[in-house]
Amino acid sequence: MLLDESVARRLRSEGYDRWMRNLASTGYCHNPVRLVGSSTTLREASGEVLSEYASANEPDGVTFTRCGNRRATRCESCSHEYKGDTWHMIMAGAAGGMKDVPEDVSEHPMVFLTLTAPSFGTVHSTATDRRSGVCEHGNPTGCRCHHDDDDPRRGDAVCAQCYDYAGHIAWQFHAPELWRRFTIRLRRELARSLGMTQRVAARVVRLQFAKVAEFQRRGVVHFHAIVRLDGVHPEQMFPVPPVAVTTEHLVAAVHAAVRKTSVTAAPLPGDEHARVLHWGKQFDVRPIVRREGLDGSLSDRAVAAYIAKYATKATEDLEPTGEGRDHIKRIKSMVRDLATQVDPDGPYTQLHRWDGMLGFRGHFSTKSRRYSVTLSSLRGARRTWRLKHLLAKTKPTEEIAPDEVLVIGSWSYAGMGWLTDGDRALATEAAEAARQWRQHRAHDRKNPPNERSTT
């Protein structure tokens, strides 16, 4: 069936309005999950049925739900929701006053930290490298070109033969462990900065953080994180630290921990010796201030937006032209080649699973237990809101709390994606219209119309 015919058939169908409501309920997802089954909502104490639902009553006999993919290149709608949840999680821990986090949490010592990988070889960048000479393969030792931000060559190795691809992959594979050891070292250095033993410091101050990983153009991750200091209290979730504990103590501890953190990586196939991995020399740590009265300082709101943006990025963003860069292809190819040679009982047995992530096996978004709310709690709040909305429609004259209700469902997976190309085209157009509406609404909030004179 031609696309125009498929679209016209959907538009003329009797269940079009119902189908459009289902489309909106998925947030205009690009590749929704198809389910078949039914659910019953009842009052738990009495067994009274409050509502019944079955996918058989839908126009296509299936129920659509979000794919939930966080990557903007895969599903812009679901990534927008994930980005929003990440923003609320980050913002609650940085500014407080929301999601059951007290507002005074913004007064705690807090910094924005960026950690990078070391160099594995010269790459093309926007900064001109004026080093003279050539390498043993006849290529320049530095990038002497001018590259704009959107130049597809930016991030590629100047000399692919000199670039340490094996070291790149080893560091990438161990980056999560390097971060874990950094947080351990940071607690030790914080105690030293405060002039205490680690045991005493643990009774006085507690380290909290939220971080995301971002792929640089050269195909290696670096980390952005908010690091905050809380006090210790048997009952309070976000106690204020002692006045004597300052941001300066935290900054000094971060500098020391970055220098001293290392991981010894087992040799990759072809390597004779283990590698000692460190953070790159370029790292940044800056205090975060409240969003009021900034004076050019780094604000909690700006940091939350910045971190949330990178929570939806992935390796696809390294190849803006869509054609595939040789540098990225070479990394993926080496990951696959090394994976076929590793010891089945060695530390790299799972390397084959991570070729699409260029060897990185960590989570893109992580936080400490008490930094703020969790992403699952935010998703749970949405489910509770939908349940309250359902109860308000079915029992408008009664006050029924969500914890009095039991939902029993039986569902089976029926596939992925819209059923026809016409449905997909309509969903894509509706998603674009919804994004434009959100953008206009955000613009209107930031730029309210001037009040007209009533004279």
Side-chain angles (χ1 to χ4, degrees):
M1 183 183 298
L2 297 176
L3 178 61
D4 291 347
E5 294 178 359
S6 179
V7 171
R9 183 175 180 178
R10 175 60 72 185
L11 292 173
R12 290 195 298 264
S13 66
E14 293 183 1
Y16 173 71
D17 290 340
R18 179 67 177 265
W19 183 84
M20 281 299 296
R21 286 196 293 272
N22 293 342
L23 171 67
S25 70
T26 69
Y28 309 101
C29 177
H30 179 73
N31 189 40
V33 181
R34 300 196 300 270
L35 301 173
V36 292
S38 63
S39 65
T40 302
T41 304
L42 46 86
R43 202 190 299 257
E44 186 173 11
S46 63
E48 176 191 0
V49 175
L50 302 175
S51 175
E52 293 182 299
Y53 173 84
S55 60
N57 298 326
E58 296 296 345
D60 300 307
V62 296
T63 294
F64 295 96
T65 187
R66 282 182 177 273
C67 70
N69 199 306
R70 67 164 189 84
R71 302 183 185 183
T73 54
R74 299 292 180 86
C75 181
E76 196 159 349
S77 170
C78 291
S79 73
H80 177 82
E81 182 176 79
Y82 183 88
K83 183 188 296 185
D85 285 351
T86 302
W87 185 89
H88 280 94
M89 179 190 75
I90 298 293
M91 192 62 182
M98 58 190 298
K99 309 301 179 185
D100 297 325
V101 180
E103 190 170 357
D104 61 6
V105 78
S106 62
E107 306 296 340
H108 296 199
M110 197 178 333
V111 297
F112 179 54
L113 171 65
T114 298
L115 296 172
T116 65
S119 173
F120 304 104
T122 306
V123 297
H124 293 282
S125 68
T126 54
T128 302
D129 189 338
R130 302 191 181 281
R131 284 181 293 174
S132 60
V134 295
C135 68
E136 59 181 307
H137 307 105
N139 295 309
T141 54
C143 174
R144 303 168 195 166
C145 317
H146 171 74
H147 299 288
D148 295 327
D149 288 340
D150 57 353
D151 191 327
R153 293 179 298 169
R154 192 165 63 87
D156 289 357
V158 174
C159 178
Q161 294 167 287
C162 290
Y163 193 87
D164 183 11
Y165 284 99
H168 178 131
I169 293 168
W171 192 94
Q172 192 104 291
F173 190 79
H174 290 87
E177 177 63 13
L178 195 62
W179 170 263
R180 188 185 73 85
R181 295 196 185 187
F182 166 75
T183 60
I184 294 172
R185 172 63 67 176
L186 182 55
R187 291 179 174 89
R188 295 174 182 170
E189 297 301 330
L190 180 61
R192 183 175 287 111
S193 177
L194 293 171
M196 305 175 181
T197 64
Q198 195 171 350
R199 178 175 295 182
V200 172
R203 301 192 191 111
V204 175
V205 66
R206 181 176 287 143
L207 189 74
Q208 306 295 343
F209 68 85
K211 77 161 178 68
V212 296
E214 177 201 356
F215 271 104
Q216 294 178 294
R217 287 282 297 178
R218 57 180 172 145
V220 69
V221 294
H222 64 180
F223 296 126
H224 301 292
I226 291 178
V227 183
R228 190 187 72 221
L229 296 182
D230 291 354
V232 178
H233 193 278
E235 298 177 357
Q236 297 179 16
M237 282 290 293
F238 307 94
V240 179
V243 177
V245 179
T246 66
T247 303
E248 287 70 25
H249 290 121
L250 178 56
V251 171
V254 168
H255 278 271
V258 171
R259 292 194 304 269
K260 297 179 182 179
T261 302
S262 66
V263 171
T264 301
L268 283 166
D271 285 345
E272 296 181 0
H273 305 287
R275 297 171 182 265
V276 180
L277 309 176
H278 301 274
W279 296 112
K281 294 180 180 179
Q282 293 183 337
F283 73 93
D284 184 46
V285 54
R286 287 187 285 170
I288 298 174
V289 301
R290 292 185 62 86
R291 58 182 178 271
E292 293 85 9
L294 298 182
D295 298 328
S297 302
L298 192 63
S299 72
D300 46 22
R301 184 173 291 274
V303 169
Y306 186 78
I307 290 182
K309 176 179 70 172
Y310 285 110
T312 61
K313 299 292 184 180
T315 52
E316 292 93 333
D317 297 282
L318 300 175
E319 303 172 314
T321 62
E323 299 176 359
R325 293 162 48 200
D326 289 340
H327 179 68
I328 302 302
K329 290 179 180 177
R330 193 171 283 110
I331 297 172
K332 291 181 179 179
S333 177
M334 180 165 282
V335 171
R336 289 191 288 266
D337 290 345
L338 290 171
T340 63
Q341 306 172 44
V342 297
D343 181 354
D345 298 320
Y348 296 103
T349 52
Q350 298 297 312
L351 183 60
H352 66 280
R353 298 178 55 192
W354 309 108
D355 63 310
M357 302 304 293
L358 310 183
F360 178 63
R361 59 193 174 106
H363 294 289
F364 272 80
S365 175
T366 61
K367 73 174 190 67
S368 57
R369 185 181 299 274
R370 296 194 180 189
Y371 172 79
S372 68
V373 296
T374 63
L375 294 179
S376 60
S377 70
L378 296 175
R379 290 190 286 267
R382 277 196 294 273
R383 287 193 295 270
T384 300
W385 182 90
R386 287 194 293 266
L387 182 57
K388 288 181 177 179
H389 184 68
L390 174 65
L391 295 174
K393 290 174 60 178
T394 57
K395 294 288 184 178
T397 60
E398 297 185 37
E399 290 282 342
I400 304 177
D403 56 4
E404 300 176 22
V405 173
L406 180 65
V407 180
I408 301 175
S410 176
W411 295 97
S412 299
Y413 174 76
M416 292 289 294
W418 300 106
L419 293 175
T420 67
D421 291 340
D423 288 356
R424 185 182 300 108
L426 287 171
T428 301
E429 185 175 347
E432 178 61 28
R435 282 193 293 274
Q436 290 181 4
W437 178 80
R438 285 196 301 265
Q439 291 169 0
H440 289 318
R441 189 175 65 165
H443 180 270
D444 291 342
R445 285 199 303 265
K446 294 178 181 178
N447 303 280
N450 295 328
E451 294 184 0
R452 295 182 179 179
S453 173
T454 57
T455 58

